[in-house]
Amino acid sequence: MPSEKILIIGAGGQIGVELVLALRAALGNNQVIASDLKKEVHPLLADGPYVTLDATDGAAITALIQKEKITQVYLLAAMLSATGEKMPMKAWEVNMGSLLQLLEIGVQEKLNKIYWPSSIAVFGTTTPRVETPQATIIEPTTVYGISKYAGELWCQYYQKRYKLDVRGLRYPGLISWKSAPGGGTTDYAVEIYHEALKSGHYTSFLSENTYLPMMFMDDAIRATIELMEAPAAQLSTGMAYNVGAMSFSPKEIAAAIQQHIPDFRISYAPDFRQDIANTWPQSIDDSTARKDWNWKPEFDLNRMTETMLYNLKKKG
Ligand code: NAD
Ligand code: SER
């Protein structure tokens, strides 16, 4: 994508920071404009252009696209599952309002491509929970999941009706050390590494045998870029792709940490996020992504644990 100029909206979050770094490394710092509601630029993003921008401000987004001759937009701004349940109407406004405006802008400004991530949160209790298929019963119960499923359908509508190239992945819970997570049900799997190093103990807000699909951030960033680079003719679904990497429970991640920190202890105090987790898949069938654009994860629980502990310890 040598001549592409990219705008990332919601770039100051867990995925955004690492995605900006990866795209800047591939395209050059000035080809990737990072933006977020946050006034202060994340330290890792200071080497390139940064703009304070509200994802729901369509006029400001259009003006920036025209001024900077943007050809692709990645819309990452969202309210995640746990925060969304605390303020459902606000979550809908941010998640859906920002997407609908961007789809319209995409048509008007003739954007080459849009990226909009979905989530395993689209699935609900009526979905098969083990090896959840790409196409299955989808009845989400959280406002976050409802917004992601409705958003996928809108993306598909714009592809079909306006030939807008908009793509997405249903990310599992993402685990990273460079940037912090922002209010999800899967955040325990990041917090646990920090607490293992800091205090040697972690109280999990999910119960010991709660299995969820998870992925290390390096795999998630690679999946995103591979999907965006895949020839359109290879993509067999207009919905977001299932992508899998690993599935584990709090008890199992604790055991993986104990391989490195034998005195580490975990206890359990499930809260409202347990009710959300109980409606999500335990593992994902990502065979459509594997077939269409050769998706293959590289990190399992042990490799991720080694990498997380090494880097967090080094970071201090
Ligand atoms: P995050 O909460 O870490 O980051 C979101 C960023 O968006 C934040 O920096 C926030 O300041 C910004 N933001 C919020 N409202 C905004 C607005 N109105 N205008 C501009 N910026 C705004 O989230 P993330 O984990 O980086 O997730 C990015 C996307 O990926 C979201 O759509 C999320 O639903 C999806 N996703 C994430 C995960 C995960 O585990 N992290 C899993 C599945 C899907
Ligand atoms: N990690 C996200 C969350 O827990 C899943 O989309 O909300």
Side-chain angles (χ1 to χ4, degrees):
M1 354 175 228
S3 60
E4 299 289 352
K5 183 126 190 215
I6 293 180
L7 170 64
I8 310 222
I9 301 173
Q14 189 191 12
I15 300 175
V17 169
E18 299 217 26
L19 189 60
V20 170
L21 292 177
L23 289 170
R24 282 184 179 165
L27 300 176
N29 285 3
N30 290 332
Q31 293 306 106
V32 183
I33 299 181
S35 76
D36 201 284
L37 205 50
K38 293 172 189 163
K39 288 203 169 63
E40 272 188 24
V41 53
H42 189 285
L44 291 174
L45 303 184
D47 287 347
Y50 182 83
V51 179
T52 301
L53 185 71
D54 184 341
T56 60
D57 185 347
I61 293 169
T62 302
L64 188 63
I65 287 173
Q66 291 174 350
K67 177 169 165 251
E68 297 292 342
K69 299 191 170 33
I70 299 293
T71 59
Q72 293 188 11
V73 178
Y74 290 62
L75 173 56
L76 305 179
M79 238 180 231
L80 275 72
S81 59
T83 313
E85 288 310 289
K86 291 182 189 155
M87 33 187 146
M89 285 305 133
K90 181 76 187 159
W92 181 260
E93 189 188 312
V94 174
N95 298 2
M96 206 41 31
S98 61
L99 175 65
L100 289 178
Q101 291 206 60
L102 182 62
L103 291 172
E104 272 299 294
I105 293 169
V107 175
Q108 280 158 23
E109 300 303 319
K110 299 187 172 49
L111 290 176
N112 288 348
K113 276 179 199 167
I114 290 176
Y115 179 74
W116 187 76
S118 185
S119 162
I120 52 161
V122 295
F123 300 115
T125 49
T126 50
T127 302
R129 294 190 71 202
V130 175
E131 289 295 300
T132 300
Q134 173 72 39
T136 182
I137 299 166
I138 299 191
E139 295 180 335
T141 54
T142 60
V143 68
Y144 176 67
I146 297 169
S147 71
K148 289 295 180 189
Y149 189 44
E152 284 192 30
L153 291 167
W154 274 110
C155 291
Q156 182 171 249
Y157 180 83
Y158 270 75
Q159 290 161 29
K160 291 201 163 126
R161 173 137 188 201
Y162 301 108
K163 307 288 172 237
L164 185 66
D165 190 341
V166 43
R167 304 179 183 195
L169 297 173
R170 290 174 184 153
Y171 292 124
L174 300 181
I175 293 132
S176 62
W177 58 271
K178 286 185 194 154
S179 48
T185 302
T186 56
D187 293 6
Y188 92 86
V190 179
E191 292 170 7
I192 194 169
Y193 289 110
H194 288 267
E195 286 305 316
L197 289 167
K198 205 166 95 189
S199 66
H201 175 259
Y202 180 65
T203 305
S204 170
F205 57 75
L206 297 185
S207 62
E208 61 182 331
N209 290 319
T210 305
Y211 282 84
L212 287 171
M214 299 280 188
M215 184 180 284
F216 187 53
M217 187 61 83
D218 292 29
D219 273 340
I221 298 299
R222 190 169 49 77
T224 308
I225 293 174
E226 285 176 5
L227 172 69
M228 289 300 272
E229 288 181 343
Q234 275 174 225
L235 307 181
S236 66
T237 176
M239 303 294 276
Y241 277 89
N242 279 11
V243 277
M246 60 186 105
S247 169
F248 56 77
S249 62
K251 190 174 166 184
E252 287 181 357
I253 190 174
I257 291 172
Q258 280 159 351
Q259 300 290 317
H260 302 265
I261 307 172
D263 290 339
F264 173 65
R265 291 289 168 266
I266 185 167
S267 51
Y268 303 93
D271 64 16
F272 73 101
R273 290 167 282 193
Q274 182 69 48
D275 296 332
I276 299 176
N278 287 346
T279 72
W280 288 356
Q282 296 182 336
S283 59
I284 290 292
D285 173 353
D286 58 4
S287 51
T288 309
R290 287 175 189 253
K291 185 163 109 342
D292 285 3
W293 44 277
N294 298 319
W295 163 242
K296 196 163 181 273
E298 288 176 358
F299 284 79
D300 61 13
L301 176 57
N302 287 333
R303 185 172 173 206
M304 177 176 80
T305 298
E306 215 176 284
T307 311
M308 284 293 290
L309 292 175
Y310 173 80
N311 284 293
L312 288 176
K313 209 189 269 179
K314 209 163 86 172
K315 210 171 148 199

